[in-house]
Amino acid sequence: MKYIIILLISVQAFAQKKPIEFYNENGEEITEEKFLKSKDYSKNLDLYFDTDTIQYGLLIERQKFGQLDQKTFTDLKIYLSELSKTQIDSTHNIVVNYLTAFPKKEENTRSRSGWNVLDRDYLKKLHKIAPINQFWINSPQSDNLKYYHHNKIKWITDKENLFNKLFFHYGVRYGNYILIKPDGKFFYYLGEHSKYQIWKNAEKYFQ
């Protein structure tokens, strides 16, 4: 009887095993070996998805340059103005610090984040780089704003999930940031980063 049970478990496990596919940054299917060799945390992030019938891994680029069309950019500024209850100077650049939905509250072992983007000197130096409208925006699925110093940071919930629709199509961990020029040209960076990185990229992009 013992051997029959083991055999049944083995057959069931084999039947439930799903195929795995791997894709590069261009959405092209590649081998697992090439996928693993192409992983470079400084350039891309590896994401994994699971459906009823298949599992797949996807590489996404961490940085992207783009251009918003006039209507989309105008709608975005109106949306930000309504969310923040502030008037946006259209001659100024825009910087959005975006808090993603991950990690979740139960994953945090500390009471407060030590992320240096939340330091007081971050905004002080940022505003010295160029004329900037800056916003702290969080995903509607963020469940631990207290961890990210909600008592001193004015986090604003992206109620319509607009930033994910326009820019951040995949859920990554920690936060993203986006730099937008007055003409609608933008640069964004996905995932973990520091205030020094934002300062450096803002200096290059806005000058």
Side-chain angles (χ1 to χ4, degrees), residues 15-76:
Q16 290 177 344
K17 190 174 182 181
K18 300 176 186 177
I20 304 176
E21 295 179 355
F22 298 92
Y23 295 87
N24 63 17
E25 297 91 335
N26 298 318
E28 301 166 338
E29 188 171 359
I30 56 177
T31 64
E32 181 178 7
E33 181 181 9
K34 189 170 184 179
F35 180 86
L36 295 174
K37 285 184 177 179
S38 299
K39 286 172 57 175
D40 182 345
Y41 192 65
S42 66
K43 297 178 181 179
N44 57 43
L45 295 174
D46 53 313
L47 306 180
Y48 299 91
F49 304 89
D50 192 355
T51 69
D52 292 337
T53 58
I54 195 170
Q55 303 174 71
Y56 59 98
L58 173 67
L59 294 176
I60 61 169
E61 293 180 333
R62 301 194 72 176
Q63 304 181 70
K64 181 178 179 180
F65 292 90
Q67 171 77 59
L68 295 171
D69 63 67
Q70 186 174 353
K71 183 181 184 307
T72 301
F73 189 31
T74 298
D75 290 344
L76 175 61

Side-chain angles (χ1 to χ4, degrees), residues 37-187:
K37 285 184 177 179
S38 299
K39 286 172 57 175
D40 182 345
Y41 192 65
S42 66
K43 297 178 181 179
N44 57 43
L45 295 174
D46 53 313
L47 306 180
Y48 299 91
F49 304 89
D50 192 355
T51 69
D52 292 337
T53 58
I54 195 170
Q55 303 174 71
Y56 59 98
L58 173 67
L59 294 176
I60 61 169
E61 293 180 333
R62 301 194 72 176
Q63 304 181 70
K64 181 178 179 180
F65 292 90
Q67 171 77 59
L68 295 171
D69 63 67
Q70 186 174 353
K71 183 181 184 307
T72 301
F73 189 31
T74 298
D75 290 344
L76 175 61
K77 287 185 287 186
I78 292 173
Y79 179 66
L80 281 172
S81 183
E82 291 175 348
L83 282 182
S84 63
K85 296 180 175 56
T86 60
Q87 190 66 35
I88 294 177
D89 189 329
S90 61
T91 66
H92 289 191
N93 304 290
I94 293 174
V95 175
V96 174
N97 296 96
Y98 190 89
L99 184 65
T100 65
F102 306 99
K104 290 298 187 180
K105 186 174 182 178
E106 63 267 17
E107 296 180 61
N108 294 321
T109 57
R110 300 170 57 185
S111 59
R112 289 290 187 277
S113 171
W115 192 18
N116 62 23
V117 171
L118 306 176
D119 291 348
R120 291 183 178 180
D121 66 340
Y122 163 64
L123 288 182
K124 188 179 294 186
K125 181 167 181 177
L126 185 68
H127 286 292
K128 289 180 180 179
I129 293 172
I132 286 172
N133 301 288
Q134 188 275 342
F135 300 92
W136 301 100
I137 305 293
N138 64 274
S139 163
Q141 285 76 45
S142 299
D143 67 354
N144 196 15
L145 295 182
K146 183 179 180 181
Y147 179 73
Y148 294 100
H149 303 221
H150 78 304
N151 58 324
K152 67 176 184 178
I153 300 295
K154 295 182 179 180
W155 291 108
I156 304 170
T157 300
D158 181 13
K159 296 178 181 178
E160 297 182 14
N161 216 18
L162 184 62
F163 282 87
N164 281 345
K165 295 173 184 175
L166 288 180
F167 307 108
F168 314 133
H169 304 304
Y170 299 100
V172 302
R173 294 176 68 82
Y174 305 111
N176 310 319
Y177 68 89
I178 183 165
L179 314 177
I180 310 176
K181 294 181 178 181
D183 62 0
K185 292 179 181 175
F186 67 85
F187 163 83

